[in-house]
């Protein structure tokens, strides 16, 4: 198939890699040259720089003869416009990523008018999978069909279950739940499509089909039910948290959401009136205890770093220090192909357990970063030993005694250049200030 992908972010580049591996003819379009350069170096595909919603760019990309256009930019509106233009100029099928909850209901009304073959909401899909896990904690895996009315579930049979050692034809006498056992995995190599005389054994991984109510009844009667989840706490109030909270509330769970942005808390309280919305820092242990984290049955961390990057499309993300949040921010930027600047880089003990986990956070961020802001010459030397080049190291002021402003730094620098050379200022900063 000839496939054109608009948007060379995390999703777009992953799609390009997988579809190219499958032998499809892939063209990827993005308005920014940096991610395209990385994709060109990694994959043998055509990359075009430009606005993927314009007629000229789509013609250059060959959309008029494409079997499929996939629009996965950071903007829902741009994705829909890309699909509309593509359909008008001859693309056979179009797929748009649409993530805004406000558009969910309207898409079914206008899909035909937009020429949209399919809309995909990754956050909604992720939230739905998480909700299934929380609703049925006893299952190893859950899939749904017919709009969620039928479920295919897999579980492992414990030794104390009434089913252990029984044949399938004995099942109606053991439980009234309407279930259909369709496959049994035994050991590492055996897979059985069982008949009525098939005898189940402890440790079997059993796949069965049932309605949601039937599955719950079956788990209870067979003594397979894990502790039922009645309450959940979500850290972060982004799209995934909203979708997940809405689904959990519909099934009768108590939901608490902790969000650090007060304006977002107010919006969530209106969108989810049955949920408890708490304004605070979800990484603060004392606040979590006060919020009742020890009393909830389920906990999910859903902070929205990806959403922030998609929304603002930064050229660089600065991460500071050596906390786990620093490493998580750098990793998220790396996945989005955004350049990373590490402030206070180069601090080392070279003992991965001291301090723990800060030392490994420092070293891992160094591997991901593109620019390094070093406060001391020792830090610079540490990075040089790790093959970081001089061109990647940015000089930074470490400490200038008595200077409380940039003017103070300048005065202090002019008054005592020797003291700056001794380590209070990096040479590059000293040189710049000396010219002022």
């Amino acid at each position: 198939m000839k496939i054109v992908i608009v948007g060379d972010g995390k999703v777009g580049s992953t799609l390009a890699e997988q579809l190219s591996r499958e032998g499809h003819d892939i063209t990827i379009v993005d308005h920014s040259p940096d991610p395209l350069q990385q994709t060109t170096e990694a994959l043998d595909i055509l990359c075009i720089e430009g606005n993927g919603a314009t007629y000229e760019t789509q013609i250059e990309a060959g959309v008029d003869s494409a079997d499929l256009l996939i629009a996965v930019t950071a903007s829902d509106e741009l994705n829909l416009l890309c699909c509309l233009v593509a359909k008008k100029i001859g693309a056979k099928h179009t797929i748009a990523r649409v993530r805004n909850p406000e558009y969910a209901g309207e898409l079914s009304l206008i899909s035909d008018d937009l020429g949209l073959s399919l809309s995909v909401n990754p956050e909604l899909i992720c939230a739905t999978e998480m909700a299934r896990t929380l609703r049925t904690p006893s299952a190893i895996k859950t899939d749904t069909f017919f709009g969620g009315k039928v479920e295919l579930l897999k579980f492992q049979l414990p030794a104390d279950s009434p089913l252990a050692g029984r044949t399938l034809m004995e099942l109606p006498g053991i439980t009234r739940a309407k279930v259909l056992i369709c496959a049994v995995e035994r050991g590492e190599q055996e897979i059985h499509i069982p008949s009525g005389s098939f005898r189940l054994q402890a440790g079997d991984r059993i796949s069965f089909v049932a309605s949601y109510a039937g599955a719950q009844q079956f788990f209870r009667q067979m003594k397979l039910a894990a502790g039922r989840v009645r309450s959940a706490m979500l850290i972060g109030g982004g799209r995934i948290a909203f979708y997940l909270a809405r689904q959990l509330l519909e099934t009768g769970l108590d939901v608490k959401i902790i969000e650090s942005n007060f304006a977002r808390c107010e919006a969530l309280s209106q969108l989810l009136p049955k949920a408890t919305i708490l304004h605070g820092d979800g990484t603060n242990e004392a606040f979590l205890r006060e919020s009742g984290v020890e009393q909830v049955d389920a906990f999910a961390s859903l902070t929205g770093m990806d959403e922030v990057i998609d929304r603002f499309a930064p050229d660089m993300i600065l991460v500071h220090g050596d906390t786990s949040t620093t490493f998580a921010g750098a990793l998220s930027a790396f996945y989005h192909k955004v350049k990373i600047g590490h402030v206070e880089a180069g601090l080392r003990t070279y003992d991965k357990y001291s301090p723990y986990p800060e030392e490994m956070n420092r070293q891992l961020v160094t591997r991901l970063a593109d620019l390094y802001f070093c406060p001391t010459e020792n830090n610079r030397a540490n990075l040089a030993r790790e093959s970081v080049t001089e061109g990647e190291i940015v000089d930074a002021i470490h400490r200038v005694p008595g200077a409380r402003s940039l003017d103070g730094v300048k005065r202090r620098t002019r008054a005592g250049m020797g003291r700056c050379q001794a380590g209070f200022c990096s040479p590059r900063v000293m040189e710049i200030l000396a010219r002022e």
Side-chain angles (χ1 to χ4, degrees):
M1 291 177 63
K2 182 176 181 180
I3 301 173
V4 177
I5 300 172
V6 180
D8 192 15
K10 181 171 63 175
V11 175
S13 60
T14 302
L15 281 173
E17 180 181 359
Q18 293 182 354
L19 294 172
S20 177
R21 192 183 302 124
E22 293 174 7
H24 298 288
D25 180 9
I26 306 298
T27 300
I28 193 164
V29 179
D30 198 279
H31 63 86
S32 176
D34 291 338
L36 289 177
Q37 179 64 34
Q38 297 180 42
T39 301
T40 300
E41 295 172 355
L43 304 173
D44 184 21
I45 62 175
L46 177 62
C47 297
I48 295 177
E49 181 182 350
N51 185 345
T54 63
Y55 175 83
E56 292 79 7
T57 301
Q58 289 205 10
I59 289 296
E60 182 182 357
V63 173
D64 53 330
S65 59
D67 298 295
L68 175 63
L69 178 134
I70 307 174
V72 287
T73 73
S75 168
D76 292 345
E77 294 81 3
L78 183 59
N79 292 338
L80 292 171
L81 182 57
C82 288
C83 291
L84 177 61
V85 174
K87 198 67 175 181
K88 291 294 184 181
I89 66 176
K92 294 180 181 178
H93 299 284
T94 60
I95 298 175
R97 180 174 68 169
V98 182
R99 309 161 72 188
N100 193 328
E102 296 178 356
Y103 297 157
E106 286 75 7
L107 278 177
S108 59
L109 301 175
I110 60 176
S111 292
D112 292 339
D113 295 330
L114 292 174
L116 194 61
S117 305
L118 178 66
S119 63
V120 178
N121 188 331
E123 285 82 2
L124 178 58
I125 294 172
C126 178
T128 300
E129 289 297 325
M130 295 175 70
R132 287 176 189 162
T133 300
L134 293 176
R135 287 198 304 264
T136 317
S138 305
I140 299 173
K141 184 178 180 182
T142 305
D143 291 304
T144 60
F145 304 92
F146 299 107
K149 296 179 181 179
V150 178
E151 295 185 337
L152 174 63
L153 304 101
K154 180 190 291 187
F155 70 96
Q156 188 163 17
L157 190 65
D160 61 350
S161 171
L163 287 178
R166 300 293 191 93
T167 63
L168 294 192
M169 66 177 64
E170 297 177 78
L171 188 61
I174 303 172
T175 175
R176 295 181 180 179
K178 295 181 179 179
V179 300
L180 175 63
I181 295 178
C182 48
V184 177
E185 300 172 49
R186 182 171 292 169
E188 297 297 325
Q189 303 292 332
E190 296 183 42
I191 299 179
H192 302 273
I193 307 299
S195 63
S197 60
F198 184 85
R199 191 173 299 277
L200 300 173
Q201 296 179 6
D204 285 348
R205 296 181 297 281
I206 301 171
S207 298
F208 69 95
V209 175
S211 65
Y212 172 72
Q216 297 301 313
Q217 181 184 10
F218 177 74
F219 280 132
R220 286 194 304 270
Q221 294 181 352
M222 296 298 101
K223 298 181 180 180
L224 299 168
R228 181 184 174 187
V229 175
R230 295 180 174 83
S231 60
M233 178 178 287
L234 313 181
I235 306 301
R239 291 192 183 102
I240 296 179
F242 167 76
Y243 287 126
L244 177 58
R246 187 175 64 179
Q247 294 186 45
L248 296 180
L249 289 168
E250 289 174 353
T251 58
L253 272 70
D254 294 327
V255 177
K256 290 182 180 179
I257 300 177
I258 295 178
E259 168 59 39
S260 59
N261 184 291
F262 185 75
R264 181 58 179 169
C265 287
E266 291 184 318
L268 287 171
S269 66
Q270 295 178 2
L271 294 169
L272 302 167
K274 294 183 180 180
T276 302
I277 312 298
L278 303 175
H279 176 235
D281 181 4
T283 64
N284 186 298
E285 182 179 352
F287 179 75
L288 288 176
R289 291 181 183 276
E290 291 176 6
S291 303
V293 67
E294 296 173 329
Q295 284 75 49
V296 297
D297 299 319
F299 180 93
S301 180
L302 303 168
T303 54
M305 186 65 181
D306 288 344
E307 296 178 15
V308 173
I309 295 175
D310 287 339
R311 178 180 176 186
F312 293 100
D315 296 315
M316 176 174 285
I317 290 177
L318 296 179
V319 296
H320 173 257
D322 51 16
T323 66
S324 296
T325 302
T326 300
F327 173 56
L331 190 62
S332 183
F334 169 74
Y335 284 146
H336 284 82
K337 297 184 178 180
V338 177
K339 291 186 180 299
I340 301 162
H342 186 199
V343 180
E344 209 174 77
L347 185 62
R348 293 287 188 273
T349 65
Y350 293 107
D351 178 351
K352 66 180 181 181
Y353 294 114
S354 178
Y356 176 83
E358 286 82 0
E359 177 62 19
M360 283 311 300
N361 289 336
R362 299 164 184 166
Q363 296 190 34
L364 292 170
V365 172
T366 295
R367 297 295 301 272
L368 296 173
D370 301 281
L371 289 178
Y372 305 85
F373 296 83
C374 293
T376 71
E377 291 299 330
N378 285 338
N379 291 24
R380 176 195 290 270
N382 289 337
L383 293 177
R385 284 193 292 269
E386 297 171 18
S387 301
V388 175
T389 65
E390 275 295 314
E392 297 171 326
I393 298 175
V394 178
D395 294 315
I397 296 173
H398 173 50
R399 179 169 61 89
V400 181
R404 298 186 179 182
S405 67
L406 183 58
D407 289 338
V409 171
K410 293 177 182 177
R411 288 195 300 270
R412 195 73 175 182
T413 303
R414 295 190 182 106
M417 298 292 284
R419 296 188 68 181
C420 283
Q421 291 175 340
F424 294 122
C425 290
S426 64
R428 178 60 178 159
V429 172
M430 185 185 70
E431 178 185 342
I432 292 172
L433 294 177
R435 293 201 300 265
E436 292 293 329

